[in-house]
Amino acid sequence: MEYFSQVKKSIAFEGKESKNPLAFKYYNPHQKVGDKTMAEHLRFSVAFWHTFTGNGQDMFGAPSFDRPWRRSADPIDRAKQTMEAAFEFFRKLGVKYYCFHDRDIAPEGESFAETCKNLETMARFAKELQESTGIKLLWGTANLFSNPVYAQGAATNPDAHVFAYAAAQVKHAIEVTHELGGENYVFWGGREGYETLLNTNLKQEREQLARFLQMAVEFGKKIGFKGQFLIEPKPKEPTKHQYDTDAATTLSFLREYDLIDYFKLNIEANHATLAGHTFEHELAVASAAGKLGSIDANRGDLLLGWDTDQFPLDIYGTTMAMLIILRQNGLGRGGVNFDAKVRRSSIDPVDLFYGHIGGMDAFARGLLIAHRLIEDGVFENFIAERYRSYQSGFGARLMEGKVTLEEAEQWIIENGAPKPKSGRQEMLELILNDYLR
Ligand code: XUL
Ligand code: CO
C-alpha cells in the first residue's frame, strides 16, 4: 500500500530558483561543503513519534489527523502499517536516519511480558525494512513518561518498585536499539523532576537518577552496545522542575556522579528556549565541554512558554547552530533529528513533507552560510584577535598558572591601567546579516 500518494517520486533538489514546495532549494545531499557532502554533515533524521503516531490531539481537542496507517483495529497490524508508512516517508524524503521511543513502534500489551514481545516483533519488522532500504537508526529511547505508573517519575520515583519497572523497560529499549544498530541511545528525563518540595527528597531523587544511568551504562557494556549514550536536557514540562534543566546543569550532574565519560548531550532548540537560553548558547556550552553529541532540531514560539516543537525555519538560528557544529568538526555519530510536528490543522500526510523539507532546507542554508563564514575567517579572526593578549608574554604566563596576585599588582604598577577596546558587536551583526542574504 502506498500511503503518501501525493508524492510520487523522492523529493528532488531543484535549486534556489525553483518555486516547487515539494523540492529542495538548498539541500543537495551529494553537494560537497568543505570535505564532506551535505548528507554527511547533516545526517538528517525523522522522529517516529510526531510524524507517524502524532494525531493532532491537544489539551483542548480530540485527534484531528486521520492517518491511513493508523486505521487497523489490531494493534500489531496498526504498528506494522505505521512502520511501512514511515519507511515510505524516509525513502521519499531522502533521509538516512530515524529515531523512536520503544512505545512509538510497538503497542503496550496486557502484561510487561506481552509488551516486550510486541517490541521484539516490531524490532524484527524494523530490521527487515532497514536492511531493504539502507535506512538506519540514529537513536532509540524509552518512553518513561506516558504510562501513568510514571506519574511521579521513573528513575526518580519515590517507590523502588517503579524504579525497577523503568529499569526493566530501559533494558529492553537498549537491547532493541542495539539489535537495530542504533548509533546512539537517548535519555530524556520525561518525568524525572518534581512538582513540590513538600513531598520530595531532592538529594535522594538525584542519586536514584545517577544509579539508573550507571546501570544502563553497565548493561550497554555487557551486551556490547557500541552506540553513544546521550542525555537531552529540558527545564520544565511535564514536571515543574526537571533535573536535567539545561546543558550546564546536566554536565555538572554527570561530573558529580562520575558519569561524564559515558555520556554526551542531545541539545534540543525548543528546550533551550524554555530554559531561558538560546539554542546556540546550549550548543556552545555542550561543545566547549567536548560533549555535543547530537541535536533535536525544532523551534518554539517566543511568545509561548511551552514546547511547541515547530519545524525550524529561522536561518539565523540554523547558521549559528551550524557554526558551532562545524567548529567542532561535526556531530560524529549524532545527527539532526527533527523533533518537530506539523500543526493540528495541517491534517494531510503531504503536510509532513512540507514541514521536513522546510527544516532540511533551513539547515542546509545554515550549513552553507556557516561554512563561508568560517572559510572567510569572519568571526574566527576577530575572536582570535580579541583574545590575543593571552597568547604570549604576561597573558600566556597567566593562563599557565604562573602568576600570583602580587605579581599581577607589580605588572600593573609597571604597565598602568588597561585601555578599553570596542567589542564591535554591531559591526559583527551587520556582517552576519550580509552573509545571510
Ligand atoms: C520531549 C522530547 C522528547 C525526546 C525523546 O520534549 O524532546 O521527544 O526527544 O524522548
Ligand atoms: Co527532543
Side-chain angles (χ1 to χ4, degrees):
M1 158 123 189
E2 189 182 30
Y3 293 103
F4 297 96
S5 49
Q6 277 168 287
V7 177
K8 285 276 162 258
K9 293 189 298 203
S10 48
I11 304 295
F13 168 72
E14 292 185 1
K16 64 179 182 212
E17 303 311 322
S18 166
K19 296 267 187 291
N20 176 7
L22 283 175
F24 295 116
K25 321 294 180 322
Y26 294 89
Y27 180 61
N28 181 359
H30 309 295
Q31 185 181 326
K32 277 259 174 117
V33 180
D35 57 356
K36 287 191 269 186
T37 63
M38 281 198 178
E40 287 165 343
H41 275 288
L42 294 163
R43 295 167 57 86
F44 286 128
S45 153
V46 173
F48 206 96
W49 51 103
H50 287 315
T51 304
F52 307 108
T53 63
N55 60 15
Q57 184 169 12
D58 71 9
M59 277 154 72
F60 302 95
S64 56
F65 307 154
D66 174 27
R67 302 299 196 207
W69 54 88
R70 300 298 285 168
R71 287 184 196 149
S72 172
D74 177 71
I76 290 288
D77 279 350
R78 190 161 65 239
K80 288 191 170 167
Q81 285 164 15
T82 306
M83 184 76 77
E84 278 167 347
F87 277 79
E88 182 189 333
F89 184 80
F90 306 150
R91 227 177 359 87
K92 288 184 171 173
L93 184 63
V95 293
K96 282 271 166 269
Y97 294 94
Y98 73 112
C99 296
F100 62 67
H101 298 88
D102 46 4
R103 304 296 175 250
D104 306 332
I105 60 166
E108 292 215 44
E110 292 292 320
S111 63
F112 183 73
E114 191 185 318
T115 303
C116 294
K117 199 168 129 268
N118 289 348
L119 185 59
E120 263 307 307
T121 304
M122 289 312 301
R124 273 196 301 278
F125 195 66
K127 193 164 192 173
E128 283 167 24
L129 287 166
Q130 284 186 202
E131 278 163 7
S132 63
T133 57
I135 287 156
K136 298 185 201 151
L137 180 62
L138 185 65
W139 49 261
T141 186
N143 177 335
L144 301 176
F145 43 91
S146 295
N147 190 319
V149 80
Y150 299 129
Q152 296 178 58
T156 59
N157 198 287
D159 183 355
H161 199 140
V162 179
F163 181 114
Y165 197 76
Q169 185 180 332
V170 160
K171 171 183 177 281
H172 286 270
I174 296 175
E175 264 168 358
V176 157
T177 302
H178 179 51
E179 262 168 54
L180 294 176
E183 303 201 12
N184 305 267
Y185 182 89
V186 166
F187 289 89
W188 167 61
R191 299 202 185 257
E192 313 294 23
Y194 68 84
E195 298 293 341
T196 171
L197 284 175
L198 296 178
N199 65 11
T200 300
N201 182 341
L202 182 141
K203 183 167 186 291
Q204 160 78 18
E205 292 200 357
R206 289 177 76 249
E207 281 168 14
Q208 287 175 210
L209 185 55
R211 188 79 272 278
F212 193 79
L213 296 174
Q214 274 150 5
M215 287 161 71
V217 168
E218 281 158 23
F219 181 70
K221 274 195 203 151
K222 203 175 294 168
I223 62 169
F225 176 58
K226 297 275 176 306
Q228 172 69 55
F229 283 114
L230 298 166
I231 297 191
E232 183 178 323
K234 184 175 182 179
K236 55 189 169 199
E237 201 200 18
T239 68
K240 172 187 157 82
H241 182 102
Q242 309 249 141
Y243 292 125
D244 299 330
T245 289
D246 61 4
T249 309
T250 306
L251 289 170
S252 92
F253 173 84
L254 291 171
R255 289 195 185 102
E256 186 177 342
Y257 292 100
D258 289 332
L259 288 161
I260 193 78
D261 292 342
Y262 308 104
F263 288 87
K264 286 190 175 179
L265 302 185
N266 180 40
I267 299 293
E268 174 163 330
N270 204 164
H271 296 179
T273 325
L274 291 175
H277 301 307
T278 57
F279 186 31
E280 59 263 30
H281 169 84
E282 288 292 88
L283 294 171
V285 169
S287 182
K291 292 290 173 186
L292 174 56
S294 201
I295 67 173
D296 267 12
N298 60 18
R299 74 176 202 276
D301 185 315
L302 293 180
L303 302 181
L304 302 176
W306 67 89
D307 205 3
T308 61
D309 283 343
Q310 288 162 259
F311 281 90
L313 291 173
D314 171 23
I315 311 300
Y316 178 88
T318 57
T319 299
M320 292 301 288
M322 290 315 300
L323 257 181
I324 294 162
I325 292 167
L326 288 179
R327 281 176 183 155
Q328 70 159 37
N329 201 18
L331 288 169
R333 52 172 64 236
V336 175
N337 172 49
F338 290 107
D339 192 354
K341 60 185 180 202
V342 292
R343 298 305 88 190
R344 187 166 185 267
S345 51
S346 303
I347 58 172
D348 296 332
V350 70
D351 291 315
L352 296 169
F353 279 92
Y354 296 131
H356 285 87
I357 291 168
M360 289 164 78
D361 258 351
F363 265 87
R365 273 176 94 171
L367 167 64
L368 290 164
I369 298 165
H371 177 72
R372 274 201 294 130
L373 284 163
I374 291 175
E375 287 275 280
D376 296 352
V378 174
F379 303 124
E380 325 305 284
N381 292 346
F382 186 87
I383 292 171
E385 183 55 27
R386 193 159 179 244
Y387 294 87
R388 198 167 52 85
S389 60
Y390 289 93
Q391 292 303 314
S392 59
F394 186 76
R397 285 202 293 119
L398 257 177
M399 294 311 286
E400 285 159 14
K402 292 185 180 144
V403 177
T404 63
L405 286 183
E406 296 93 309
E407 283 162 0
E409 183 188 23
Q410 190 52 40
W411 195 81
I412 288 299
I413 291 168
E414 285 160 21
N415 290 275
K419 286 189 193 61
K421 289 181 198 127
S422 171
R424 295 269 184 268
Q425 182 169 336
E426 293 74 12
M427 178 191 82
L428 297 169
E429 285 169 343
L430 86 81
I431 296 175
L432 175 57
N433 259 17
D434 289 344
Y435 274 77
L436 293 179
R437 272 197 296 244

